[in-house]
């Protein structure tokens, strides 16, 4: 089974974290996730995150630190999801892969229908009571 390296931003602003809903035409369509995308062969995880956020949301962030990696197997592929804590700077929210976004309290993350690979990160954030300032 192929493993796809994916990076995501745990983007914090004003005591909330950003989640985006995958478009219905996508794999896991309708599920919420921490935004990001595939890492290309020639780029670092951090560069991939900056590129993906710019392409998908017109967003710029400050990457503060690596958070954790989750490996999740779906039916036909495996994702290695690499999460980074980020500080929100600005965005146009001109969405290309998502159809909605929400800023939510970390303690409420599990109330949303998250993509399976994102659930362990969300649970860990809740337990660690990550400061979002």
């Amino acid at each position: 089974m192929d493993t796809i390296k994916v990076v995501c931003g745990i983007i914090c602003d004003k005591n909330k974290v950003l989640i985006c809903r995958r478009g219905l035409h996508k794999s896991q369509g309708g599920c919420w996730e921490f935004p990001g995308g595939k890492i290309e062969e020639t780029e670092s995880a951090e560069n991939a995150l900056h590129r993906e956020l710019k392409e998908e949301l017109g967003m710029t962030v400050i990457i503060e630190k690596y958070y954790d990696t989750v490996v999740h197997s779906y039916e036909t592929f495996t994702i290695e999801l690499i999460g980074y804590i980020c500080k929100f700077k600005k965005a146009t929210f001109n969405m290309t892969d998502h159809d909605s976004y929400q800023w939510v309290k970390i303690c409420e993350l599990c109330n949303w229908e998250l993509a399976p690979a994102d659930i362990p990160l969300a649970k860990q954030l809740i337990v660690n009571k990550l400061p979002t300032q």
Side-chain angles (χ1 to χ4, degrees):
M1 190 177 312
D2 290 337
T3 298
I4 302 168
K5 284 191 164 205
V6 176
V7 66
C8 70
I10 300 163
I11 302 164
C12 304
D13 188 42
K14 299 177 185 159
N15 294 320
K16 293 191 176 178
V17 66
L18 180 71
I19 55 174
C20 297
R21 188 172 60 197
R22 295 179 62 81
L24 295 177
H25 64 286
K26 306 284 288 181
S27 170
Q28 302 299 314
C31 289
W32 293 84
E33 66 181 0
F34 299 110
K38 294 178 187 172
I39 302 170
E40 295 178 1
E41 266 187 51
T42 60
E43 66 185 347
S44 68
E46 293 91 345
N47 286 343
L49 183 56
H50 282 298
R51 176 185 53 76
E52 288 284 349
L53 292 175
K54 185 59 110 177
E55 289 175 3
E56 293 182 1
L57 297 167
M59 180 179 290
T60 56
V61 299
I62 297 168
I63 297 175
E64 295 188 333
K65 66 180 179 177
Y66 164 79
Y67 187 65
D68 200 8
T69 299
V70 171
V71 176
H72 182 84
S73 294
Y74 291 96
E75 274 189 36
T76 57
F77 61 94
T78 298
I79 285 184
E80 181 181 341
L81 182 62
I82 305 163
Y84 285 87
I85 302 296
C86 303
K87 183 177 180 183
F88 176 75
K89 283 180 70 176
K90 64 180 180 175
T92 63
F93 289 105
N94 184 16
M95 295 180 282
T96 59
D97 281 359
H98 301 95
D99 63 13
S100 187
Y101 70 92
Q102 289 290 324
W103 291 97
V104 301
K105 293 179 182 177
I106 287 176
C107 64
E108 296 174 355
L109 278 170
C110 289
N111 297 342
W112 297 80
E113 185 183 342
L114 297 173
D118 291 68
I119 293 171
L121 286 177
K123 287 181 176 180
Q124 187 175 337
L125 288 166
I126 292 167
V127 168
N128 291 338
K129 296 178 175 62
L130 181 75
T132 55
Q133 301 232 23

